[in-house]
Amino acid sequence: MKKYLLSFCLLASFTTVTVAQRQGDPKLTEVWSPAPKVITPGVTAHNAPSDAVVLFGGTDASAWEGVNGGAVKWKVEDNAMTVAGGTGNIKSKQGFSDCQLHIEWRTPAIVKGEGQGRGNSGIFFMGLYELQVLDNYNNVTYSNGQAGSIYKQRMPLVNASRKPGEWQTYDVVFTAPRFNEDGTVKAAARITVLHNGVLVQNNIEIWGATEYIGTPGYTKHADKLPFILQDHGDAVSYRNIWVRALQ
Ligand code: MG
């Protein structure tokens, strides 16, 4: 009897979540507790190896375009490419599948806003799977939306954030999802992320394309797709972006 009661409760709560999700409550997919432990990263520096595709070295944004085409409208100055709020996301002209990515990013030194409204951007692998970029230095937000999270899916193992205005690094190994002919998932995407040289995602499974509201899922797509960098309205800068294609 106890077992049936438990099943009923689980079903009831699942139904409640499903109905509420249809009504579009983004809070349903926020996880606030536990929060990742805060640690202090060491010093890191990574130059592109000889077999890497350099997507941005500091002055030339020609490997990128607006997400709907056209030249990048972000600011390219001081050896960085900085989000010009409202100009839109940008995407790499080249598509990638399995890869190793190095990317450096910096949130504004002058802190404005809080939570998700503070130094927010993001790196979408294959244009679909977001590794969150956020000023998470003494900034509380939901755990699975922190810097180093797979947004709204997987919280980072620790919070290795540097101060606002300081350059930070991500080193990532990404394995693209594989699909069957009929569109079903053969293998989910996987990702390993080092934030400022510290492991924050250890070969974890990505649950599907990033969703702000509702649960993620997979839809069959091309083998290679571009990176997208997010314009979330905050002046986040990028530099030293290089990729080693593994597929
Ligand atoms: Mg973001």
Side-chain angles (χ1 to χ4, degrees), residues 53 57 123 140 142 152 221 226 232:
V53 175
I123 301 149
V140 177
Y142 40 93
K152 288 285 185 90
H221 56 65
H232 202 280

Side-chain angles (χ1 to χ4, degrees), residues 116 120-122 124 130 132-133 151 230 232:
Q116 293 289 312
N120 194 331
S121 182
F124 287 78
E130 185 185 12
Q132 174 70 312
V133 168
Y151 185 70
Q230 185 183 44
H232 202 280

